[in-house]
Every structure is written in C-alpha cells, then in structure tokens.
C-alpha cells in the first residue's frame, strides 16, 4: 500500500483522516482480519497481511480505509508453503 496524500490537503483534514485510519486499521488488527503490518523504510507505504475468506471481503475491508482514495494497492494472494516448519504465522 502506497499512500499519496495531496500536498494541498488542509492539515485539519489530514489529521482527521489519519485518526480514522488508525482506529479502523487497529480494529481490523484486533479482529484478526489484518494480521500484520510493516512500514516500508523511507516511504509512506506498508506491506500488510490480511486473513480474509475471499476477494470480496478483502475489497470491502480495503475500500473501507479512510485513506483508500489516496492509495495505490497491489494485492498478492498468499498461502502457506507445504515445506513451512511452523503451523502458524509467528
């Protein structure tokens, strides 16, 4: 996920969007749907792991992000590799 906020967006609007984004993403993390999130160093971007039942659910969750209209999102489906030595994602 790459975030591209317009430079002319009023600071008060940016603050509001970021607060709503944080609350929404942390709720999804607590629910187990947003399993992991990592910042990409030096960029306003992240790599995230979601645990969803299907593409429709993923689309619904992503499009619910307050920053969604300012994001470029690349989706890459993942599944556990048969040679993995762990049964979970620690």
């Amino acid at each position: 996920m790459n975030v591209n906020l317009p430079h002319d967006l009023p600071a008060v609007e940016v603050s509001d969007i970021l607060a709503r984004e944080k609350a929404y993403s942390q709720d999804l993390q607590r629910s187990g749907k947003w399993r992991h999130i990592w910042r990409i160093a030096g960029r306003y971007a992240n790599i995230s792991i979601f645990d969803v039942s299907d593409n429709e659910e993923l689309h619904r969750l992503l499009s619910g992000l307050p920053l969604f209209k300012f994001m470029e999102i690349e989706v890459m489906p993942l599944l556990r590799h048969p040679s993995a030595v762990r049964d979970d994602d620690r």
Side-chain angles (χ1 to χ4, degrees):
M1 295 181 198
N2 294 303
V3 181
N4 301 301
L5 286 173
H7 296 293
D8 60 348
L9 201 60
V12 69
E13 189 174 341
V14 170
S15 294
D16 175 63
I17 292 170
L18 295 180
R20 290 185 294 118
E21 181 82 8
K22 183 175 184 177
Y24 181 76
S25 68
Q26 288 181 343
D27 284 347
L28 289 175
Q29 290 173 67
R30 283 186 203 78
S31 77
K33 291 296 180 180
W34 196 324
R35 302 288 296 160
H36 300 281
I37 183 170
W38 292 277
R39 170 78 63 198
I40 299 174
R43 294 175 44 198
Y44 193 6
N46 72 74
I47 293 178
S48 294
I49 305 291
F50 289 84
D51 186 2
V52 295
S53 59
D54 55 30
N55 292 335
E56 185 176 334
E57 181 182 15
L58 181 60
H59 179 75
R60 183 178 51 78
L61 296 178
L62 292 175
S63 62
L65 291 165
L67 285 172
F68 181 74
K69 66 182 176 181
F70 305 113
M71 295 175 135
E72 294 174 27
I73 299 173
E74 179 181 349
V75 175
M76 183 181 305
L78 301 173
L79 60 138
R80 187 161 310 284
H81 194 283
S83 296
V85 297
R86 292 185 182 86
D87 291 332
D88 60 16
D89 59 0
R90 286 181 288 159

